[in-house]
Amino acid sequence: AAAAAAETEKGDGKLSRGDGRGDRGSSAEPRSPLPSMSFVSLENIQNMIAFWVMVIYVVAFVSLYLQLPGLYGDNGILPVKPVKRFKAKNFRDLAGLFMQDPSLLRLLKTAGVDTYWGLEILTLAGSFISLLAVAFPFLRDGLIFSLLTLAYASIIRSTSVFLSFQWDILLVEVGWIVSLYQPWFLLGYGSPLQPPNVFSSAKRPRIERGDVTLDPFDETDSRSSRLGLWLLMNLAARLFIESGMVKLTSGGPTWWNLTALEWHFESQCLPHQLSYYFHRNTTHWFKSLSVAIVYFILMAAPIAFYLPFRPLKHFAFLLTTSFQLLIILTGSYNFFNVLSIVIALPALHQLPLQLCSGSSNHAISPNKKVNRLARLASGVEHMISVLLCAYAVGIWIKLFDIKFAPEANPWTSEVKSMEISSQIKFEKNDFYPAMAHSLKWWFYLSAISLVLEMTKCMVEELRKLLVHLRWMRCGKNILEAFWSTRYVIWRFIRVTWTIASCVVACTWFTLSVYAHCNVRNLHLERVPMAAESIYEIERFLPTKCIQFSQQPLKQSLLLASSYGLFRHMTGVGGRPELIIEGYSNTSKKWEEIEFRYKPGPVDEMPPFIIGHQPRLDWQMWFAALSRPGQPPSWLLGFINGLLEGKEEHSDMWRLLSISQFNSNRSYDKIRVLRYIYHYSVLNDGLAYWDRNKRSEFLPALTKDNSGLIDYLKRAGLWKTQKAKNKRKIRREKQLASSRVCGWLHAIRKGIVVVERKVSHHTLVLGMAAIGIFASISMSKSLD
């Protein structure tokens, strides 16, 4: 034993045990010479992602809870989709049926809960649980994430129109990925990600490899968690690349002429004051150059997420984050941009080319050879990153013909201003085959990146297993032999866990590849090379995963989806806007019905909002794009609710502006006019908009209009007075018999009182701020 201890003290690749005064605890311990972002460790990134995704869940659930009665339900715009019960005789049959169609609403329906009350329970419970999870870190558990994600997916499936946005589906996919790598401490399965700390930090055995001392029991940088973070980074890359591709493959003239930003700021869904400022105070060449830069950020920068060069990844993260922050400043897009930044956070983690870590967990002795090698590796890594970045920028300059075009005074030959011209130099006939061919190369690059990540995880786990086996051989007594044997068994569990994580990561990656290569989403169905690329990709994919991607279970869980935001630039030539006007027999005039967040009066600009999504205002923007005389069915249901009055449809009226809701107005006629909005010059400071009446979208309708009644009956939106009375009686019975329904009704009544004075986005941000403040307070108290 003494000879073995003497050998381990020599530090020639063997083990040593600390005595409480070892090198790890010394304050004069030398650190890594690498200029790295070592403070952004995997544990920090994992905690940041879990925290901010939970904050987004708070915003999403609270925002939906505030609008739920007005959008769906007895007094809402649309009825809730009917949900069937699980026809099961026992618990085993119920579990089997639930695994075939996992829906919490169907589960609540089987328990005797009405569908609307089920929506109330899911949204309120989701708001409360996510708020607690923001405040208390131990609740950011894989089980909590999976339950919240399943609840949100169940709500999306039962509410078609107002929750059919891509960011809702993106939130569900992010929630599933986060629930995969977050530890399941609440069920007792947190051990594989965090083994028990039997030894103190000073008494743990350590590995001495050359001049580097490592701690084999330090599991803060869990390798199996890296696969989950890689899946998030892959999702971010797919989101950006697909959003960039569809802008050009859709064939829109504004995207090809680089004139999209000439219309975007005034034609987007919910503009605000900064949108007006950017529209009026930016020049034509700057907007054209900005569109070209958008293509570089969306289609070129995300490729760096798959490359093993740390500075290049950080630069790509900087570009994509700056782009999302600019979108937040120039428009109101709820939680989508924040979520896009969060899923790109794994790009900040340390990469394979960092040979010597700068983390405080690893002490490095002052050896000149090691320091020289570390500096050389860091220099090579930075040089390769700079060369690749310069190469990408050069190709971008060539494809978009970026040139400096100084404007000179014709009389004095002096340069008046410096402009940068840009235009697309490639043709559509060349672009479509190139995009179809790029699908194959994207698959190869992402697959190699995943294989390298899995290989590194397995090598690290096997190396630690060998370290524990060697430590077990040099145990001094029975106690050390007992603990070493326990850790060897535990390390075998870790290896098994890593293998299972690799299998799950490969399966999810296969589903994401199938979603990314959706030719209909990318508008490549008529390109022959697209079919050839997809056929070549499918040769490498497991057949069972391809079959599973087409099954209803995958569609119901929303596991992996295709994306492509803002593929068509709307509002070219002016922003179409629907203005609803009401006529009262008492006032004898038409009055404009005001909304909370969409443009209406010309002297008012919609407020700046983030997080909250006013779903009625968003759908009004989509309805303005439809043809006159062909309104969506929900719009006629909304008009019918306005005609029936505030007493019968008070929940729906709360979605309008606060002044409109607090007034006691009632209308005998409703008409819908279609205007074209433009930003005004604002010289006098009186009006933000100039609007011109284009057409009458819907003629004046009354409550007893036969055409309106027939249409609502065909659409299933008409409710007779007998049906309304029956539904009212049933609601009263539920409130009287069910204590849960009574609590929900009492909470809703309190929310209604607050809504009369406080806007929805203020309530949503207030709830998120409460959770963040409680989390900060808890972290300080624990420190």
Side-chain angles (χ1 to χ4, degrees), residues 102-124:
S103 173
L104 294 181
L105 279 177
R106 291 194 66 181
L107 204 61
L108 292 173
K109 186 73 174 180
T110 307
V113 180
D114 186 66
T115 305
Y116 174 75
W117 287 116
L119 288 175
E120 287 266 350
I121 291 173
L122 291 183
T123 51
L124 187 60

Side-chain angles (χ1 to χ4, degrees), residues 248 255-258 288 291-292 295 393-403 421-432 434:
L248 291 175
W255 289 115
W256 278 90
N257 299 333
L258 304 183
S288 178
V291 177
Y295 287 134
V393 172
I395 293 179
W396 171 74
I397 291 175
K398 183 178 180 180
L399 291 177
F400 290 90
D401 195 21
I402 309 298
K403 296 179 181 179
S421 64
S422 56
Q423 60 177 344
I424 293 180
K425 296 295 289 183
F426 50 88
E427 300 293 335
K428 293 182 180 180
N429 295 333
D430 300 329
F431 176 76
Y432 288 122

Side-chain angles (χ1 to χ4, degrees), residues 567-640:
R567 65 187 67 202
H568 298 290
M569 179 51 60
T570 58
V572 177
R575 173 194 179 89
E577 195 68 53
L578 296 184
I579 301 299
I580 302 179
E581 294 183 346
Y583 180 84
S584 176
N585 293 329
T586 57
S587 61
K588 303 294 182 181
K589 64 178 182 179
W590 291 95
E591 298 178 356
E592 181 176 338
I593 297 177
E594 299 180 7
F595 288 75
R596 286 180 182 253
Y597 301 102
K598 87 176 194 68
V602 295
D603 58 341
E604 296 181 5
M605 182 65 72
F608 173 79
I609 58 175
I610 183 173
H612 171 63
Q613 180 182 357
R615 299 184 180 269
L616 175 61
D617 300 67
W618 270 76
Q619 288 297 335
M620 288 295 296
W621 181 80
F622 286 106
L625 303 177
S626 56
R627 296 180 179 179
Q630 298 180 1
S633 57
W634 67 264
L635 181 59
L636 292 177
F638 177 60
I639 292 174
N640 181 63

Side-chain angles (χ1 to χ4, degrees), residues 209-471:
R209 184 169 46 185
D211 295 304
V212 181
T213 303
L214 302 176
D215 185 356
F217 298 94
D218 184 13
E219 300 296 337
T220 56
D221 195 13
S222 175
R223 302 297 165 184
S224 58
S225 298
R226 293 192 60 171
L227 295 177
L229 295 182
W230 186 93
L231 292 176
L232 277 181
M233 191 168 58
N234 176 60
L235 175 60
R238 285 200 302 114
L239 173 67
F240 297 144
I241 293 174
E242 291 173 15
S243 298
M245 289 179 63
V246 298
K247 289 175 173 52
L248 291 175
T249 55
S250 62
T254 55
W255 289 115
W256 278 90
N257 299 333
L258 304 183
T259 58
L261 288 183
E262 297 288 342
W263 311 103
H264 166 73
F265 294 116
E266 71 175 10
S267 66
Q268 60 182 321
C269 299
L270 300 178
H272 51 75
Q273 286 85 351
L274 286 178
S275 309
Y276 178 89
Y277 177 82
F278 276 87
H279 180 80
R280 282 297 178 192
N281 295 278
T282 50
T283 59
H284 172 74
W285 68 265
F286 181 78
K287 293 176 182 176
S288 178
L289 179 64
S290 299
V291 177
I293 294 174
V294 165
Y295 287 134
F296 180 82
I297 294 175
L298 292 180
M299 301 175 67
I303 298 176
F305 291 163
Y306 299 112
L307 300 178
F309 304 111
R310 182 189 54 185
L312 199 60
K313 276 190 176 182
H314 293 167
F315 180 66
F317 175 80
L318 177 64
L319 287 180
T320 54
T321 303
S322 302
F323 175 60
Q324 298 300 326
L325 291 176
L326 284 174
I327 295 178
I328 293 174
L329 289 177
T330 57
S332 300
Y333 292 97
N334 50 78
F335 55 81
F336 165 67
N337 305 110
V338 179
L339 185 59
S340 301
I341 295 174
V342 169
I343 61 178
L345 283 175
L348 294 179
H349 186 239
Q350 299 167 354
L351 299 177
L353 281 185
Q354 187 176 1
L355 300 180
C356 300
S357 174
S359 174
S360 60
N361 292 334
H362 298 166
I364 297 182
S365 61
N367 188 296
K368 293 182 179 181
K369 292 183 179 180
V370 174
N371 295 347
R372 196 176 298 117
L373 179 63
R375 291 193 184 96
L376 178 62
S378 178
V380 170
E381 182 184 20
H382 283 76
M383 183 180 65
I384 295 176
S385 300
V386 170
L387 291 177
L388 289 176
C389 185
Y391 179 73
V393 172
I395 293 179
W396 171 74
I397 291 175
K398 183 178 180 180
L399 291 177
F400 290 90
D401 195 21
I402 309 298
K403 296 179 181 179
F404 286 98
E407 183 181 355
N409 192 330
W411 302 101
T412 61
S413 299
E414 295 180 358
V415 177
K416 293 174 26 180
S417 62
M418 180 65 69
E419 297 182 359
I420 302 177
S421 64
S422 56
Q423 60 177 344
I424 293 180
K425 296 295 289 183
F426 50 88
E427 300 293 335
K428 293 182 180 180
N429 295 333
D430 300 329
F431 176 76
Y432 288 122
M435 286 296 100
H437 196 63
S438 67
L439 295 177
K440 178 174 59 177
W441 293 108
W442 169 85
F443 169 74
Y444 292 151
L445 182 62
S446 57
I448 292 173
S449 176
L450 178 60
V451 169
L452 290 177
E453 197 72 30
M454 292 190 298
T455 303
K456 184 175 182 180
C457 293
M458 289 302 304
V459 168
E460 186 69 19
E461 292 299 332
L462 292 175
R463 185 186 66 82
K464 289 187 177 182
L465 176 61
L466 293 177
V467 167
H468 284 76
L469 288 173
R470 290 166 58 192
W471 179 60

Side-chain angles (χ1 to χ4, degrees), residues 535-682:
Y535 175 75
E536 186 171 348
I537 291 173
E538 287 182 348
R539 292 190 306 165
F540 297 93
L541 302 180
T543 307
K544 291 186 178 180
C545 291
I546 297 177
Q547 295 174 353
F548 176 74
S549 63
Q550 301 173 351
Q551 291 181 359
L553 178 60
K554 183 258 181 184
Q555 304 297 332
S556 61
L557 291 176
L558 304 175
L559 294 180
S561 305
S562 302
Y563 302 98
L565 297 166
F566 309 112
R567 65 187 67 202
H568 298 290
M569 179 51 60
T570 58
V572 177
R575 173 194 179 89
E577 195 68 53
L578 296 184
I579 301 299
I580 302 179
E581 294 183 346
Y583 180 84
S584 176
N585 293 329
T586 57
S587 61
K588 303 294 182 181
K589 64 178 182 179
W590 291 95
E591 298 178 356
E592 181 176 338
I593 297 177
E594 299 180 7
F595 288 75
R596 286 180 182 253
Y597 301 102
K598 87 176 194 68
V602 295
D603 58 341
E604 296 181 5
M605 182 65 72
F608 173 79
I609 58 175
I610 183 173
H612 171 63
Q613 180 182 357
R615 299 184 180 269
L616 175 61
D617 300 67
W618 270 76
Q619 288 297 335
M620 288 295 296
W621 181 80
F622 286 106
L625 303 177
S626 56
R627 296 180 179 179
Q630 298 180 1
S633 57
W634 67 264
L635 181 59
L636 292 177
F638 177 60
I639 292 174
N640 181 63
L642 294 176
L643 289 171
E644 290 185 351
K646 181 179 175 182
E647 294 183 359
E648 293 191 18
H649 295 272
S650 59
D651 296 330
M652 190 187 68
W653 279 67
R654 281 200 299 273
L655 299 177
L656 302 174
S657 65
I658 296 179
S659 59
Q660 191 81 37
F661 173 66
N662 292 331
S663 64
N664 295 321
R665 300 170 186 170
S666 60
Y667 301 107
D668 301 298
K669 298 179 182 179
I670 295 291
R671 70 180 181 184
V672 182
L673 304 178
R674 187 177 183 179
Y675 284 84
I676 298 298
Y677 276 61
H678 292 280
Y679 280 138
S680 65
V681 181
L682 202 64

